[in-house]
Amino acid sequence: MAAKLVTRCSLLMQVLVFFLAVVPDAFALPINRLKSLTVIKEVNRRGPYLGLITVYEPEENAFFATGAFKPHKTHPFVDLSGRRFRVGKIHGEKVIYVRCGVGMVNAAAATQQMLDLFDIKGIIHFGIAGNANDSMSIGDVIIPKQFANTGIWGWVNLNSTTNFSDVVHLDIASYNVPKGEGTNLLGHIGYSDEEFYSALGKPNTAQPLFWAETSKHWLHLAANLEGMELEQCVNSSLCLPHKPKLVVGLRGSTSNIFVDNAAYRKFLVRNFHVSSVDMESAAVVLTSLSNGFPVIVFRGLSDLAGGQSGENAISKFGPLAALNTAKAVVQFIKTLQ
């Protein structure tokens, strides 16, 4: 019996050695994750924190350029699932910052991970966006009160029955050029509600939701930022024609679409009355609300979302819009103390 047990143990050991030889990195991810989770446990002992989320590198660069973020001396960051969560303070307020990546999946995943693993008391999302509001200008910063996911579509055939539960319809034939020439077989697009699951609702039961509202008490505090000084110039030779302003209480549109089309921009404004278009905000807001956390969004207007003549201005004025947004966020955090 003892001999058989020794033989089995020997065989198991040989299999393990063979597995590690063939797949040398098989245990690298779990070990790294375990190390990160250990650091997170230590970090959480000093919580709670404000969760800060940007999208891509130019926004991150603008945020760090403010000089307001002071990294934690012992645990300045935690790497998890390919993202770097940075731990520190802004004006004495404890924060955890992450760059989520472009698109709604990235935004929702990073937000959920932050809420699940860290001791978070609320989410501040910020970055740049396309300007859909002709009363606003490039460089302005908006803090919307509502966001909609305008990317949940039902795309149906030309003669299909209309779904009356749709919020809005986009009839493709309305954009035929020249008008009245031929039949457009692309039919129409119906915009649908989100299925919203909430920690405050009945388990396993979704509620239809189109407009997701950011936290009213934070919006009220953010209103004190209106009139703050924002940057007008990218450099000494490139300036905006008007002094940028900060506005609270508008609407934003989010989808996995980079909008740079004048006709679609007009459609969104006419039907949804939005002032900004981006690819992440609604995902961050919905994820935060679903988990029962306060959330607010700051977006700097970097371009006209197709409303311009010529090239999109994001490469020229994107960094300036990102800097103005980051400055507004830093000032908002200061008001929370």
Side-chain angles (χ1 to χ4, degrees), residues 160-196:
S160 295
T161 303
T162 299
N163 184 349
F164 291 101
S165 65
D166 288 341
V167 179
V168 166
H169 289 108
L170 191 163
D171 294 311
I172 306 296
S174 299
Y175 297 89
N176 281 357
V177 178
K179 289 186 179 296
E181 293 290 326
T183 301
N184 192 315
L185 300 180
L186 288 174
H188 72 263
I189 294 170
Y191 291 74
S192 303
D193 292 318
E194 280 276 2
E195 289 191 344
F196 179 64

Side-chain angles (χ1 to χ4, degrees), residues 272-286:
F272 300 111
H273 309 290
V274 297
S275 293
S276 64
V277 290
D278 70 69
M279 300 173 66
E280 298 82 23
S281 294
V284 175
V285 172
L286 285 162

Side-chain angles (χ1 to χ4, degrees), residues 33 51 60 85 106 124 162 176 276 322:
R33 186 174 181 84
E60 182 172 85
F85 293 81
N106 275 327
I124 301 174
T162 299
N176 281 357
S276 64

Side-chain angles (χ1 to χ4, degrees), residues 43 49 69-72 75-78 85-88 95-96:
V43 167
Y49 299 84
F69 179 78
K70 307 300 180 184
H72 191 278
H75 301 299
F77 62 84
V78 181
F85 293 81
R86 300 179 185 270
V87 185
V95 300
I96 292 177

Side-chain angles (χ1 to χ4, degrees), residues 27-28 45 60 86 91-92 95 116-117 119 135 157 191 206 212 236 247 270 278 286 296 305 320:
F27 291 99
R45 290 175 180 170
E60 182 172 85
R86 300 179 185 270
H91 291 304
V95 300
D116 281 344
L117 297 177
D119 183 8
S135 67
N157 287 322
Y191 291 74
S236 59
V247 179
R270 183 172 64 250
D278 70 69
L286 285 162
I296 192 169
L320 176 65

Side-chain angles (χ1 to χ4, degrees), residues 31-51:
I31 291 173
N32 288 342
R33 186 174 181 84
L34 181 61
K35 181 180 177 181
S36 295
L37 292 176
T38 301
V39 174
I40 289 172
K41 184 178 180 181
E42 184 65 28
V43 167
N44 283 342
R45 290 175 180 170
R46 299 176 175 86
Y49 299 84
L50 284 173

Side-chain angles (χ1 to χ4, degrees), residues 95-112:
V95 300
I96 292 177
Y97 161 81
V98 69
R99 170 162 48 99
C100 67
V102 174
M104 297 185 73
V105 171
N106 275 327
T111 305
Q112 188 65 58

